Amino acid sequence: MNGKRWKRSTTVYNISYHLIWCPKYRRKVLVIDVAKRLEELLLQKAHEIEVEIVQMEIMPDHVHLFVKTTPTNSPHFIVQQLKGYTSRILRQEFPSLKSRLPSMWTRSYYCESVGHISEETIRKYIKKQKNK
């Protein structure tokens, strides 16, 4: 899944998202061993669900991911899979997280689509198609 575009037998695509989410109460629990393990788990689960993590930054109180994915993976599905998987395992491996947080992550997240072509370019291209 490397490179600018991905291909399947019937589809060529370039789908990228910037995703951000926080621990419950925005607690600063993503440090040292927890942060290191979180990175490993995110990479593992991402590979499993056909998501490439292009860039990742784990801050003490939030996570930033830049991901590329297939057309069949919605942003909501990606976040749900990554948060659910990491929450379960981190809380098993680090019992202190259970006592500090009723759940690992907040229910909310931020998602922004990322593209190499501007909205204006796409609008112009579509408009020109009618005149062909």
Side-chain angles (χ1 to χ4, degrees), residues 38-105:
L38 174 58
E39 181 176 345
E40 293 168 359
L41 294 171
L42 287 169
L43 290 168
Q44 181 182 351
K45 188 63 174 180
H47 178 74
E48 186 181 308
I49 61 171
E50 295 187 272
V51 171
E52 177 189 358
I53 297 178
V54 178
Q55 192 166 353
M56 174 180 351
E57 193 64 49
I58 298 173
M59 307 300 290
D61 64 348
H62 65 284
V63 175
H64 282 271
L65 295 180
F66 173 49
V67 302
K68 290 184 175 285
T69 191
T70 66
T72 55
N73 279 344
S74 72
H76 181 75
F77 172 78
I78 296 166
V79 173
Q80 180 184 40
Q81 291 293 305
L82 296 177
K83 286 169 69 173
Y85 180 70
T86 57
S87 175
R88 183 173 52 81
I89 293 177
L90 287 174
R91 288 164 54 83
Q92 284 173 356
E93 295 180 3
F94 299 93
S96 63
L97 293 175
K98 281 185 179 177
S99 63
R100 293 197 65 202
L101 301 167
S103 59
M104 181 70 196
W105 306 113

Side-chain angles (χ1 to χ4, degrees), residues 20-34:
I20 306 170
W21 67 84
C22 305
K24 193 81 166 174
Y25 309 125
R26 198 136 186 188
R27 292 244 165 94
K28 296 181 181 196
V29 296
L30 307 178
V31 293
I32 311 165
D33 293 340
V34 175

Side-chain angles (χ1 to χ4, degrees), residues 6-13 71:
W6 299 352
K7 291 183 181 184
R8 290 215 170 143
S9 59
T10 60
T11 313
V12 177
Y13 51 93

Side-chain angles (χ1 to χ4, degrees), residues 4 7-8 18 63 78 83 104 111 117 121 128 131:
K4 285 193 172 194
K7 291 183 181 184
R8 290 215 170 143
H18 177 202
V63 175
I78 296 166
K83 286 169 69 173
M104 181 70 196
C111 173
I117 302 172
T121 301
K128 285 180 183 178
N131 299 328

